[in-house]
Amino acid sequence: MQDNFGQVMKDWRQIRRISQMELSGMADVSARHISFLETGRSRPTRGMVLRLAEVLLLPPTARDRMLIAAGMAPVARQRRLNERELAPLTEAMQWMLHSHAPYPALALDRHWRVIAANPPAQGLLEPVGLGIGDSLLEAFLFNTALRDNIDNLAEVERFMCARLRTELVEVGQDPVLEDAIRAFETRRRAEVEDIPPSADVVLATRYRVGPHVLSLFSTISHFGGANDELFSELKIELMFPADPQTGQVLRALASV
């Protein structure tokens, strides 16, 4: 049943900071029709919902929520990782993770829950009590062992907060991400001194693992064109050594 399509559409238009007139031009319909859709005086067709989702740059999950709000069936659905239809994506994910060894690699969902990890990444997670299914957002906020093992925690928290804001722009609204941003901002305000931005070429996280300090930076990959709820939002984070010593330690640990 259509009950809140107009409000969902208006919310996304405002999130993208465009007017009804601008949206009408982008979607090639009249501003009057856009107004009628937002107020509920007109009902959208499925084609119109998909067109609006495209011009508003909605991620697949948000697109499907807009379809549901209009009383229509979603395009994507959430499947289990072991379902046959997902085999090509699952195999690609596993190939990326395992091919990245001896360097750590993780697959994370929208809320930074660990979906999969290669052995080097498990070697970072397990000593602080983390594994598959755990949230790195919660860990960075509340896991004392993890926080104590990061030498430049204040820098990392500031970077994470900025990254979360960027992700929130993409997804529009998300209580989990919004709560995490507020929590990181509260921690920053509580700091006695504000840490100046790093002058390094890339911000590396410095993990203490036993007698070693591993300096790591990340690249993040996404699956393009995935019509599955999990894979459309999946992030594959590949960590690289930021200095020669870290690379040597990781290669040595992998050979043990």
Side-chain angles (χ1 to χ4, degrees), residues 7-79:
Q7 187 61 51
V8 172
M9 174 183 162
K10 181 178 180 180
D11 288 345
W12 272 104
R13 180 175 61 76
Q14 293 176 336
I15 288 168
R16 297 303 188 222
R17 298 179 182 274
I18 58 178
S19 66
Q20 289 185 347
M21 183 65 71
E22 289 170 326
L23 181 57
S24 71
M26 295 164 67
D28 196 24
V29 296
S30 69
R32 178 185 177 90
H33 188 50
I34 293 294
S35 176
F36 279 14
L37 288 173
E38 287 192 0
T39 60
R41 294 181 65 182
S42 294
R43 292 177 61 90
T45 63
R46 185 177 181 85
M48 176 56 66
V49 176
L50 293 174
R51 188 189 310 175
L52 290 169
E54 181 179 359
V55 299
L56 288 168
L57 302 177
L58 301 195
T61 301
R63 173 206 62 199
D64 284 351
R65 289 174 183 154
M66 183 177 276
L67 282 166
I68 293 169
M72 302 169 188
V75 174
R77 68 182 180 90
Q78 188 170 21
R79 303 170 177 88

